[in-house]
Amino acid sequence: MTMSSWWQQIQNHPRLRTVVIAGAAFVASGPASRLTPPVSVRAEEWWPAVLLAAVACTALLWHERRPRTTAAVAVVCTVALTALGYLLTALLLAPLMAALYWLAAHTDRKTTLPFVLSACALVVGTALIVDPPSYPWPLKTVGPVAWILMPASLGGARRIKQDYLDAVRSRAEYAERTREAEARRQVADERTRIARELHDVVAHHLTLAHAQAGTAAHLVQTRPDQAQQILTSLTATTSSALRDLKATVGLLRGGDDPAAPLEPTPSLTRLPELARTFASAGLTVTINTRGERPPLSPSVDLTAYRIAQEALTNVAKHTTTTSAQVDITYSPSSLTMMIINGDDGADRGRRSGVADEPTAGGGTADGGDQPAAATSTSPANSGFGLISMRERALSVGGHLEAGSHPEVGFHVTAVLPLHPGNPKTDRTR
């Protein structure tokens, strides 16, 4: 077996390594005790040094479980050797050096520092008092202090390195544990976003199709020409619904899928088109804009469009009004959008006690001469619509309010920052 393989075997067995180091320290202490004859004992009496070295080296075997006790025993034995007049060489200090190294490696700095300072003070003080004047003073002061501080420093460096490696290993294990949870969270967030898009698209087009079909069914006997026009609009509505649904579901496809839709993302520039679709269902939408339109973040632009779409859909589903109004005000830091029911819808809301959410029921009419198509919607649907709009506003750093106002009736008001990274908005309306 080569020397390197032998040393590797020792490194792989901590207990064997400790025995080897303790044995080497004991062997080194024997010859060192013979370098200078002791003052208090005869030169031929070698057993005091051997006995103290044996005690100190035996204590090293328990350095992992009791590092403080091991260091204390080594300090006491070293001070006793100094008191007997032995020259403090590196070989004689080997047990103490090993004990202080392991103490610094296994404990913290607050524990190691008192032991190191106490060892230096006791050993140097005893050497200055007891050692004969013939010993050079550097061998009694500088030498012992250097040999005591060096292993303590090396042990502290090893502890710091081990703490760093443990921290790196802990971070890696934590990252491994949380990777799957983070992936699930991202999937859930994406699923929620797509579900919100599907809700807005499907609710909008189904509301229009329902209103158009009901009105056409009512007019098919009395006004077939007008019913035919509404059915033509119904065909366009369902075609648009299929296109938007395909575009939304296309978000689930891969980016390199040739079947992925290429339609542009809805934005506020398409509000006139949105208003025309509601006009075919008997709801006249007026769009008012104040201020110069600044460049908008795509996410804010899409959010504003979806909020307007959902709010107008709720007007068509839950009121009997024939008109609605969308007011958009641009400021240097935000845009404020208010969707208001028409006058008859506001009166109906006040008469029926509408407060924070629209009530179920109602329909669409295309004027005073045409009866409204019957609709039936549960209050929970409108509540989910408001929740969806609020979530959209919060997702870009804005906020949304909905409720009845004595002057304008039921309204939905959203304040959105121009860019999602700037949640500060202008709340003045």
Side-chain angles (χ1 to χ4, degrees):
M1 181 180 292
T2 63
M3 183 64 66
S4 59
S5 60
W6 179 78
W7 178 249
Q8 186 66 31
Q9 289 291 331
I10 295 177
Q11 290 292 332
N12 294 335
H13 298 81
R15 191 65 178 173
L16 178 61
R17 183 175 66 243
T18 301
V19 172
V20 171
I21 293 176
F26 177 74
V27 172
S29 300
S33 64
R34 309 302 296 170
L35 294 178
T36 304
V39 176
S40 302
V41 296
R42 294 189 303 271
E44 62 272 11
E45 294 181 349
W46 52 267
W47 62 268
V50 174
L51 178 62
L52 292 173
V55 173
C57 293
T58 303
L60 295 178
L61 301 178
W62 287 273
H63 75 88
E64 292 182 348
R65 289 180 291 178
R66 299 184 179 275
R68 297 172 182 83
T69 303
T70 300
V73 171
V75 170
V76 171
C77 292
T78 304
V79 172
L81 288 172
T82 306
L84 293 175
Y86 290 98
L87 181 63
L88 297 177
T89 62
L91 295 177
L92 197 65
L93 292 173
L96 177 61
M97 294 169 62
L100 292 179
Y101 172 83
W102 280 323
L103 177 69
H106 295 317
T107 61
D108 55 11
R109 183 179 179 182
K110 293 181 179 180
T111 302
T112 304
L113 191 59
F115 276 90
V116 173
L117 295 180
S118 299
C120 291
L122 291 174
V123 172
V124 173
T126 304
L128 291 175
I129 295 173
V130 176
D131 282 356
S134 59
Y135 287 176
W137 68 267
L139 297 180
K140 296 185 289 185
T141 55
V142 178
V145 171
W147 292 119
I148 291 173
L149 292 179
M150 181 182 67
S153 301
L154 294 176
R158 177 193 172 187
R159 186 193 70 249
I160 294 174
K161 179 181 178 180
Q162 188 62 41
D163 291 344
Y164 171 76
L165 294 177
D166 292 342
V168 172
R169 189 180 300 108
S170 298
R171 285 196 297 268
E173 292 175 354
Y174 176 78
E176 184 68 23
R177 290 193 305 268
T178 58
R179 184 177 304 166
E180 185 176 352
E182 178 66 17
R184 288 196 300 266
R185 186 193 66 80
Q186 293 179 358
V187 170
D189 290 345
E190 184 67 12
R191 194 175 290 168
T192 300
R193 185 179 70 85
I194 295 175
R196 188 183 297 121
E197 289 289 328
L198 286 173
H199 170 272
D200 292 347
V201 171
V202 173
H204 165 65
H205 289 294
L206 285 183
T207 297
L208 292 181
H210 182 74
Q212 291 170 339
T215 304
H218 178 77
L219 297 176
V220 68
Q221 298 294 335
T222 57
R223 300 181 182 178
D225 295 339
Q226 191 171 357
Q228 182 63 36
Q229 294 177 358
I230 295 176
L231 290 175
T232 302
S233 300
L234 177 60
T235 302
T237 300
T238 55
S239 299
S240 177
L242 291 175
R243 288 195 303 270
D244 289 349
L245 186 61
K246 182 179 179 182
T248 304
V249 175
L251 296 174
L252 300 174
R253 301 179 183 270
D256 56 349
D257 193 338
L262 301 176
E263 294 188 4
T265 303
S267 65
L268 289 178
T269 57
R270 295 179 58 181
L271 278 183
E273 178 183 345
L274 180 66
R276 287 193 295 270
T277 63
F278 281 103
S280 64
L283 179 65
T284 302
V285 179
T286 304
I287 302 174
N288 299 319
T289 303
R290 300 180 182 88
E292 184 177 355
R293 173 187 167 92
L296 298 178
S297 168
S299 60
V300 174
D301 210 357
L302 174 62
T303 297
Y305 177 86
R306 291 303 190 195
I307 289 175
Q309 183 185 57
E310 177 67 21
L312 292 174
T313 301
N314 285 341
V315 172
K317 285 197 298 185
H318 304 299
T319 70
T320 57
T321 182
T322 60
S323 64
Q325 183 174 327
V326 180
D327 291 339
I328 302 175
T329 302
Y330 295 103
S331 70
S333 61
S334 66
L335 71 88
T336 302
M337 183 170 61
M338 179 182 290
I339 299 92
I340 309 169
N341 290 8
D343 292 339
D344 54 345
D347 293 337
R348 177 185 177 275
R350 287 193 290 269
R351 289 194 301 269
S352 59
V354 174
D356 293 332
E357 294 182 0
T359 58
T364 28
D366 80 332
D369 296 336
Q370 288 183 204
T375 61
S376 176
T377 309
S378 65
N381 289 336
S382 59
F384 285 132
L386 291 177
I387 292 173
S388 176
M389 288 187 286
R390 288 194 179 99
E391 289 177 348
R392 282 189 176 276
L394 289 173
S395 67
V396 295
H399 69 280
L400 182 138
E401 298 175 359
S404 294
H405 191 276
E407 296 181 0
V408 300
F410 191 85
H411 68 94
V412 173
T413 302
V415 181
L416 308 177
L418 299 183
H419 301 280
N422 179 22
K424 184 178 179 181
T425 57
D426 182 7
R427 297 175 181 265
T428 304
R429 292 192 295 273

